[in-house]
Amino acid sequence: GVLFYNVQQNLLAQTGDPTGTGKGGTSVYGIMYGEQAKYFEDEIVQTVKHNRKGLLCMANEGAENTNGSQFFFTLRGDDLEHLDPHHTIFGEVAEGMEVLDLLNKEFTDGDGRPFRDIRVLHTHILDDPYDNPPQLTVPDESPLREVPEEETVKPRLSVDDPLNENEGKSMEDIQEEMQVKEAKSRATVLEMLGDLPDAEMEAPENVLFVVKLNPVTRDEDLELIFSRFGKILECEIIKDAITGDSLNYAFITFESTEACNEAYKKMDGVLIDDRRIKVDFSQSVAKLWNKYTQRPRKLARGAAEGGGADTAKYGGGGRGGGGGAPNGSGGGPRERREGDAPKRERRRSRSRSRDRRERDRRDDRRRRSHSRDRDRRDRDRD
């Protein structure tokens, strides 16, 4: 249907232009006789005034006798005297004034066009006492079309689309949606900072996070206690990298999500080794990094062995060769750096083990020295 393209709050709502621009439309005479007859003359009656809301008036080209197909409804009943000498009044709203009230509340842009496309969908003629001209073909009903073929403006929101996305939602639903949006925003920032491999990554649903553990609690003790809920794939108490002491929290990975949920319900607040533990679902994605960090190493390894598309991507033409880089450089060093990551980790692990063994030996020597001193003092007293 034809578009309401100009809504001026508390003044008028204008339509009747099939192009939707305010510059188109023709009268019935233009349809019958052609372009030279597109306008018809004003029919202004001095005693009929623009003095109430809901009047139906002809719009024109800003000059006398330039009435075409455009018309408007008045949206107020006072201070409209300036319209009297220029616009023909040919009807008024008898029922449905609430529709004009809704039109008057629409949000519009700087040109007065509503942000939602509001259209005249159907026109029903209740009584027509005049005979139709023989040149005019009147359809039996309104054309079944959503948008006129002549319309040239870009479509906007449908009238059924709410401008307020929270309309009809409860406060709980609104808060939940806001939390989801905030979580996605934070995940995107973490991905940009390199703290997350992918903003869409979600924490595993079969992992529990256990805190407030007693330092004496061991991995196997915790696994034995939680294993009654289902098979455990991994139970790890996190320890200090230098001293090896417990940091009093752990991650427990179950084989099934159901077992994880059951353990969460039953174990939160339970006493273990005289400590009341706290249990929650893990939000950590640290172990999922392997899916991302190992993938380039595998591709690089394939390139180093002379592998097709991987060679082109990583610049490796053979073992240590720089097939994709000038002067044979580029491929080899990158492959060695990516492939050396596990070796560096193993070296650090061996170094930490050596440090712990050396620390244990020093403590043992210190204890033996103290023991010898005590024996010597005891012999001197005797």
Side-chain angles (χ1 to χ4, degrees):
V2 68
L3 190 68
F4 274 92
Y5 69 89
N6 181 21
V7 177
Q8 300 181 37
Q9 192 175 35
N10 296 323
L11 181 59
L12 59 84
Q14 187 170 341
T15 183
D17 179 6
T19 68
T21 62
K23 301 177 181 179
T26 183
S27 70
V28 65
Y29 302 107
I31 296 175
M32 292 189 296
Y33 304 118
E35 182 69 18
Q36 73 280 3
K38 65 179 296 185
Y39 299 125
F40 65 89
E41 296 180 354
D42 296 330
E43 299 178 17
I44 296 174
V45 179
Q46 297 299 326
T47 57
V48 180
K49 304 294 184 180
H50 295 79
N51 56 7
R52 57 188 178 277
K53 179 180 175 181
L55 292 176
L56 190 56
C57 315
M58 290 303 302
N60 53 42
E61 297 289 334
E64 294 183 357
N65 305 321
T66 55
N67 301 291
S69 63
Q70 298 186 41
F71 58 93
F72 63 86
F73 295 91
T74 56
L75 300 179
R76 71 171 188 238
D78 58 344
D79 194 24
L80 297 175
E81 295 82 4
H82 61 284
L83 300 177
D84 293 338
H86 307 292
H87 298 281
T88 300
I89 301 173
F90 65 96
E92 66 178 306
V93 176
E95 296 180 2
M97 198 69 73
E98 64 275 6
V99 177
L100 293 185
D101 293 335
L102 293 175
L103 265 173
N104 196 33
K105 295 178 181 178
E106 284 295 317
F107 293 100
T108 62
D109 61 16
D111 296 325
R113 182 184 171 187
F115 289 109
R116 295 192 295 182
D117 284 344
I118 303 172
R119 302 179 181 276
V120 178
L121 299 180
H122 300 284
T123 301
H124 302 281
I125 300 175
L126 301 180
D127 182 36
D128 182 6
Y130 303 101
D131 295 331
N132 294 322
Q135 302 93 333
L136 180 65
T137 303
V138 180
D140 296 332
E141 59 182 11
S142 299
L144 298 176
R145 59 181 185 180
E146 293 185 2
V147 179
E149 293 81 0
E150 302 91 340
E151 187 170 295
T152 59
V153 295
K154 292 183 178 180
R156 293 186 174 179
L157 292 173
S158 168
V159 71
D160 297 324
D161 297 331
L163 289 178
N164 183 4
E165 61 180 10
N166 295 327
E167 186 177 345
K169 298 179 181 178
S170 65
M171 185 58 65
E172 291 77 10
D173 294 337
I174 295 173
Q175 290 177 349
E176 184 177 353
E177 289 184 0
M178 290 178 61
Q179 291 172 357
V180 171
K181 291 179 180 178
E182 289 175 1
K184 288 183 177 179
S185 176
R186 287 194 295 266
T188 302
V189 173
L190 290 175
E191 181 185 13
M192 295 169 63
L193 295 175
D195 288 348
L196 268 183
D198 189 349
E200 300 298 326
M201 176 178 287
E202 296 182 357
E205 298 180 351
N206 62 330
V207 181
L208 287 181
F209 177 54
V210 184
V211 296
K212 296 187 177 180
L213 290 171
N214 194 313
V216 303
T217 303
R218 299 177 301 173
D219 295 337
E220 50 269 26
D221 300 332
L222 204 59
E223 182 174 0
L224 180 63
I225 294 170
F226 277 82
S227 61
R228 68 188 182 94
F229 299 102
K231 183 177 179 181
I232 293 178
L233 302 179
E234 184 180 12
C235 179
E236 181 184 9
I237 295 178
I238 307 303
K239 298 178 176 61
D240 187 274
I242 304 299
T243 64
D245 297 333
S246 171
L247 296 179
N248 305 336
Y249 68 93
F251 293 95
I252 303 175
T253 306
F254 286 86
E255 185 178 44
S256 66
T257 305
E258 293 77 12
C260 184
N261 294 336
E262 190 68 18
Y264 167 72
K265 295 176 184 177
K266 298 292 181 62
M267 294 302 294
D268 187 33
V270 170
L271 280 173
I272 296 180
D273 292 330
D274 295 329
R275 288 285 185 90
R276 195 170 296 279
I277 65 171
K278 192 72 177 174
V279 180
D280 201 350
F281 293 101
S282 171
Q283 300 301 315
S284 172
V285 295
K287 295 195 175 182
L288 299 180
W289 270 98
N290 294 334
K291 297 179 181 179
Y292 293 83
T293 57
Q294 290 179 1
R295 188 185 307 159
R297 285 203 299 272
K298 292 178 181 178
L299 293 175
R301 190 178 302 118
E305 294 174 357
D310 295 342
T311 302
K313 182 175 180 180
Y314 285 90
R319 290 190 180 275
N327 304 323
S329 64
R334 175 182 289 186
E335 293 156 11
R336 288 196 295 273
R337 284 196 298 271
E338 293 174 348
D340 282 349
K343 296 180 182 178
R344 289 196 297 270
E345 183 60 33
R346 286 195 294 271
R347 283 197 296 269
R348 284 196 292 268
S349 178
R350 286 196 296 268
S351 176
R352 288 194 295 268
S353 299
R354 285 196 300 271
D355 292 341
R356 282 195 295 271
R357 288 196 297 270
E358 181 63 28
R359 188 168 55 254
D360 292 340
R361 284 195 293 268
R362 287 198 302 268
D363 293 342
D364 188 50
R365 287 195 298 269
R366 192 178 299 110
R367 284 193 297 271
R368 286 199 298 270
S369 176
H370 291 333
S371 178
R372 286 195 298 270
D373 290 342
R374 283 196 302 272
D375 293 341
R376 189 179 301 111
R377 286 194 298 269
D378 291 341
R379 284 196 300 270
D380 290 343
R381 284 197 298 269
D382 294 341

